[in-house]
Structures are given as structure tokens and as C-alpha cells.
DNA sequence: TTGTATGCGTTATCAT
DNA sequence: ATGATAACGCATACAA
């Protein structure tokens, strides 16, 4: 019954026995406690090495109440916008040696289920919530569970939130179009990611309206449509707008993917871009660059990094001196490329 | 000291006390054990509900030796190919009520570190490895740790592997080009994802060479380049090929992203596609569809789903009747769009 | 059918 | 500086 043949993972006990010390000492070595004599430390380290021992993280979490991993909850993580944000998150999280658990919330039910269970399950040390708006009751539960939370591209007064100035971004885009002489401007909005209260799409609509108002243009009901955030949604909306008796000379879409749909619709309907139709998207994904699409650039990777950083700060600050929630606003900037030009003369 | 004010998460003990039963009974209810009287089950369920109790997953894992989550290790999860595969993975994993932990292995060191630690740490029940080739020593460690593993877009004889027929995919593409009359065909290969032995890029090169040989065409050294998998890599290689004295009339790229780089290079050099230059990519990402790029379509989402399914099967089969490793091959299919045409006459 | 007791691998709190 | 031991919250074998 020699333990060479047994391939069960070695425990801290095995290391202790092997090194001729007590488990407590091994634990101290593992956790870099200063109060251990260099000689014994070496003995322990040697034992760890020869046994190829790694601590069982589950057991460690059991007593330490920390898991070393953070949860990221996001709708549709494959969409380029989220993908970019996640990249920033990943960089920051792996930088500090943590793991990251991805929760994909495609539906409201899924999202609710996560919001309900995650604080209790304690499988993650903190939660980064992207583009999803928890309601007050949910936030109360988060708070009472003392689960560190940061919102990215979403806002709640009681939680640290990272938002971009969507209204201003939209304003910049539409104002630019009015400056180019456009008077009939369509807006394709995205459907809210969740049922809850606010939504970044509202802000973009609001920026659109303000820019129109500032240019003395009346809104036309048929020129404001709400559709899915993807290419197909954009195409559907564009077809509807562009087949009206008096079609718009410019379209502002709430996402680059929708803008691509507009591109497709225009090609289908034989409408030249930018000569007959100007187009601006929103997000600034790589695809926009490839297609030379004018867009409102969000600092996506930065949002992910900063959000993760703020979350880690909260996780690592002992709960008695938890910093108060803050609201951080980032700017979006208009990038003009080859899908915008002066309004066609009528 | 009433427990209304204490907001510490309720434990199974609290539920037991509340329901007037023993912890064992609560545990049985939680685990759907059949041997519990309906009446008591109801009482327990009620207590669970009023206390808003969720089991502590960490503690549960401690005894059950299962974590309920699976690890997915992938290089560059933001690249569209991986993103698509991951989507399939996510669907399957959340279907069976598990969580998924993402390990992003951007470098060989990171990858090695994961390969070394993950089997020991026991934080995941199984590991899905995407486009990465573990070496024999690593595989031996996996096996002896009894950690269920499935390889996707990678192969090892001792592990269940899911591969697509890269050689055939490449052959189809290049054969099609030769049929169109092309004789000078360039190949832009991708750099290996990891140092290890085989690599799908080798297979694609081999398919390229076979198709050339079958058409009686000699290889030209300057027409086979290896570059990064992304757009910039593709562009660099294309510029190099297209500025040669005798430039190719067709290019086959090992990824769609590289093909986009070729598109950019051609535009820059004023070379018309497809009239002066035919182009075929590889992968079949959405971008290829948008740009009407001919490509070799991989069943990416299916790969993710199937890989995850196979992994879950292995996780859930008790270790005594573990199915033997299998090698599953999926087909890639040529999709011709608007970047290919007959060779220009000289 | 239900209750009780032990152990999972660690950390942390005592002693020594 | 180090050793012994009690938690941590749950599952489970065994007892009742």
C-alpha cells in the first residue's frame, strides 16, 4: 500500500508528513506567512515540489470564504461589443491571478435566476454586471449579501456604475448629420436588454431628439424604429424606412451591427451610400473599421478593464471600509469614415 | 438576537431548525432523494422558501467532489472563430445547468500553467480544450488525475478529440481555384497556436499542396507564407505576395480574418477582386458572409456543442465505466461567394 | 422514513 | 516558530 501507486491528489497532510511538520506550518508556507523559519520553509517547499502538490481550491474557499474567482454576467457574450468589453475584463482579472466565470443571460428569466442565486451560492467573490439593470429589490439582496458588485454600461444609484455618455454620443452623431444638411434623419433603436427601468437605448434616443430639436427639426414618428440589436434588426428597420414615400437621407443606428443591416438594405434597394444615404452606427467594433463605417466609438476594452479593476478593489477592501458606490462616466466619440456626406439636393 | 437582523446566509442547519427536522433530511430533499415522506418534504420546501435558502456550492463541492462547473480553455476567446465555438459550448453547458469557467490562454506559459494546475485544483469537473495541443506528459497528468477532458479542434490519441477535416477543407478550396484555371496560387498560413506537435495549420498546408499536385502545379516558395491569424497578418502576407514580379492570381488564406487583410491589401494596391485576384478564406465567420467572401465553412457552433456534450457525458459517467477516447471528425465545406472567379487571361 | 455522526482539505485559533 | 484542533457547510453511511 505504498502511495506511489495511489494517484489520488496529495493533500496538505501528505505534504506535512513528508516534510515532518504539522499541517499548520504547511498552510503558513502556502500563505506566505512571515513567521516560519527559512529552514523549515525550504523543507516544506521541497515536499510540495516532490509531491507535485497544489492546494485544493474548493477546500480553501470553504474556510477562507474567498473563491479567487469573479463572476461576469452578460447578455449575448458573442456579440462584438460584449466580446470587446470581456476582453478588457479578462486582461484585468487574469492580471491579478483570479479566474472568471461567465454567466450568459440570454433571457430575462435566466438573468433573474442568476441575480437571485449568485449572492447566496458564494461561488464567486464578486459580480460584474454588463448592460443589465438590476431592480431595487435585487440590489437590496446584493447589498445584504455583501457581495461586491460593479455595473458596466448600466446604472444603479446604490452600486458602483460605469456608464458611457450615450446621450452625448448620440447627440454628436445626429448633430453632425444636421450640420451636413440632413433634415430627414431616421433612428434605429435597440430593444432593451432587460425589462428593467433605465436603458442605454433611452439615452441614445434622447440624444437623437435633442440634436434634432437644436437643429429645429420636427420628429417624424415613422423615422424612429426599435429593433433587435443585430444585423437583421437593422435591415428590417432600414427597409421599412427606406421604402416610405419620403425616405430619410440619413440614418443613425444604435449599434454598428444594425448599421451593417442598413448597408445591406441600401444595397438591396440600390441606394448609394453615402451619396444618397448617410449612415452612422454606434459602438466602434472592428467591423465598423473594416467596412469604413462612420460610428460613435465607445471605449469598450477600457470599460471592461476599469469595471474589473473597480470590482477587484471592492473585493479586496475589507468589508468595514468599503468605498461608497461611485458613478463613473466615460465619453464616446464620433468617428467619421466613409458612410457620411452632405445631404443630397432635392 | 433574533435572526431577522442577521443577514448572514442561511445554512442547511437553519432550514432544518425552521422545518423541525434534521439536517440529513433537508439534504435529502435538496438532492431529490426518493426516501422522504411528501409531508416532510413540503415542510422543508416551505422553510427553504421562507428563508430564501440556497445551498452553499463550495461546501457542497467539498463533500460531493463535484463542482458543477466545467472549464473551457481557449486562446484568444474574442476572435470570432472561438467566439462562435464558445457559443455552442455555452448553450450546451447551461442547458444541463452547469456553469462555465473561461481560461484564456494567450501565451504558451499561461497555457502550460493552466494545464499544470487545473487537474490538481479541482475547481472544475472537466476541461474542454479548444485549438490547443497538450503534449504527452500533460496528457498523462490529466489521465492520472482522472479529470475528464475533451479536445476541440485539436487531437491527441488518448483523449476524446473533435476535429474538422482541415486537409479536405483546404483541398476543396484550392482544387476549386485550379478548376477555375488558376496556376499561381498563394497560401497564407497561420502561426501555430501552441508550440506542441501537430496543428491544424499543417493540415491546411497539406491540403493546399495536394490540390496543387493533383493539378500538376509546382509549389513556389514565395507563395507560401506564415503569418498571424488576424487581419494584419493577412495584409502583411498579401502585400508581400502581391508585390512580387509575378504575383499570384488567387490566394487561399487559413482564416477569414487573414482574408479580410488580403481584401485590404488588394484595395490598397488597386487589384480588383475577383477579376484580377480570387480569394478564399477559412472558418466561415459572420464577417465572411457580410463581405461576401468565399470561404471554407467550419461547423463552429456545432463543434462547441458537440464537444461540450461529449465532455458532459464523460463527467457524468462514473469513472469505472468511462467510455474510451474517440476521435470525431466533422466536415468543412466550401462556400463560394463573390471573391472567386476564373483566372484572368494573361 | 428520519436522525446522528463522521469526514472532506483547508484556515485559523489556540497552546506550547 | 510550530503543533494540535476546532470550525467551515454539506453529504452520506449508519443507526434508530
Amino acid at each position: 500500500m505504498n502511495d506511489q501507486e495511489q494517484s489520488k491528489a496529495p493533500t496538505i497532510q501528505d505534504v506535512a508528513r513528508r516534510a515532518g511538520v504539522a499541517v499548520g506550518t504547511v498552510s503558513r508556507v502556502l500563505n506566505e506567512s512571515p513567521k516560519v523559519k527559512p529552514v523549515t520553509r525550504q523543507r516544506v517547499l521541497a515536499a510540495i515540489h516532490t509531491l507535485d502538490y497544489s492546494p485544493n481550491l474548493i477546500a480553501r474557499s470553504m474556510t477562507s470564504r474567498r473563491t479567487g474567482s469573479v463572476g461576469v454576467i452578460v447578455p449575448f457574450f458573442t456579440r462584438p461589443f460584449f466580446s470587446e468589453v470581456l476582453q478588457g475584463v479578462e486582461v484585468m482579472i487574469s492580471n491579478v491571478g483570479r479566474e472568471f466565470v461567465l454567466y450568459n443571460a440570454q433571457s430575462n428569466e435566466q438573468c433573474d435566476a442568476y441575480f437571485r442565486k449568485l449572492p447566496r451560492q458564494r461561488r464567486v467573490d464578486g459580480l460584474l454586471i454588463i448592460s443589465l439593470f438590476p431592480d431595487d429589490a435585487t440590489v437590496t439582496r446584493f447589498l445584504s449579501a455583501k457581495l461586491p458588485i460593479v455595473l458596466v454600461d448600466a446604472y444603479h444609484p446604490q452600486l458602483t456604475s460605469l456608464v458611457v455618455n450615450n446621450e452625448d454620443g448620440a447627440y454628436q452623431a445626429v448633430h453632425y448629420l444636421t450640420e451636413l444638411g440632413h433634415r430627414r434623419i431616421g433612428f434605429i433603436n435597440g430593444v432593451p436588454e432587460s425589462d428593467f427601468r433605465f436603458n442605454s437605448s433611452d439615452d441614445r434616443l434622447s440624444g437623437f431628439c435633442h440634436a434634432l430639436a437644436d437643429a429645429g427639426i420636427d420628429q417624424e414618428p415613422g423615422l424612429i424604429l426599435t429593433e433587435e440589436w443585430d444585423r437583421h434588426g437593422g435591415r428590417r428597420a432600414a427597409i421599412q424606412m427606406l421604402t416610405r414615400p419620403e425616405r430619410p437621407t440619413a440614418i443613425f443606428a444604435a449599434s454598428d451591427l444594425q448599421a451593417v443591416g442598413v448597408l445591406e438594405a441600401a444595397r438591396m434597394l440600390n441606394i448609394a451610400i453615402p451619396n444618397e444615404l448617410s449612415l452612422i452606427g454606434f459602438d466602434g467594433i472592428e467591423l465598423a473599421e473594416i467596412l469604413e463605417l462612420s460610428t460613435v466609438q465607445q471605449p469598450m476594452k477600457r470599460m471592461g478593464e476599469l469595471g474589473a479593476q473597480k470590482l477587484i478593489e471592492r473585493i479586496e477592501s475589507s468589508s468595514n471600509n468599503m468605498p461608497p458606490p461611485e458613478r463613473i462616466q466615460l465619453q464616446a466619440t464620433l468617428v467619421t469614415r466613409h458612410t457620411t456626406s452632405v445631404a443630397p439636393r432635392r
Side-chain angles (χ1 to χ4, degrees), chain A residues 251-309:
Chain A
I251 291 181
F252 171 51
S255 81
D256 286 339
L257 252 24
Q258 290 174 318
V260 173
V262 177
L263 245 28
E264 295 175 330
R267 184 166 34 177
M268 219 181 76
L269 299 170
N270 264 312
I271 298 174
I273 289 182
N275 291 343
E276 298 175 87
L277 179 70
S278 284
L279 174 62
I280 300 181
F282 204 108
D283 282 346
I285 63 179
E286 190 180 12
L287 180 54
E289 186 191 337
I290 294 173
L291 296 175
E292 313 205 79
L293 173 69
S294 299
T295 188
V296 178
Q297 179 80 47
Q298 299 201 64
M300 296 171 288
K301 205 173 158 193
R302 176 90 191 111
M303 290 163 70
E305 279 178 4
L306 194 52
Q309 185 193 321

Side-chain angles (χ1 to χ4, degrees), chain A residues 80-186:
Chain A
F81 169 77
F82 296 113
S83 193
E84 295 271 348
V85 174
L86 283 178
Q87 188 171 15
V89 172
E90 198 276 336
V91 166
M92 192 55 72
I93 287 181
S94 66
N95 257 359
V96 297
R98 290 172 174 274
E99 298 184 346
F100 106 80
V101 184
L102 196 58
Y103 299 97
N104 196 41
Q106 306 263 16
S107 68
N108 275 303
E109 299 75 55
Q110 244 183 317
C111 181
D112 286 346
Y114 285 137
F115 282 171
R116 199 154 11 80
K117 286 182 185 166
L118 291 181
R120 256 58 219 282
Q121 295 184 160
R122 286 283 157 195
R123 192 198 282 268
V124 293
D125 293 339
L127 204 51
L128 198 62
I129 299 176
I130 302 180
S131 299
L132 259 13
F133 290 77
D135 61 20
D136 291 343
T138 301
V139 171
T140 304
R141 275 210 311 285
F142 288 162
L143 259 22
S144 81
K146 297 201 194 317
L147 183 68
I149 307 252
V150 166
L151 260 36
V152 170
D153 187 37
Y155 174 71
H156 191 282
Q158 300 181 73
L159 297 176
T160 291
S161 308
L162 198 62
V163 294
V164 329
N165 196 333
N166 281 295
E167 157 143 26
D168 177 66
Y171 184 93
Q172 286 181 55
V174 179
H175 178 72
Y176 179 70
L177 291 172
T178 61
E179 297 267 286
L180 288 174
H182 294 277
R183 308 287 298 174
R184 307 181 60 80
I185 304 175

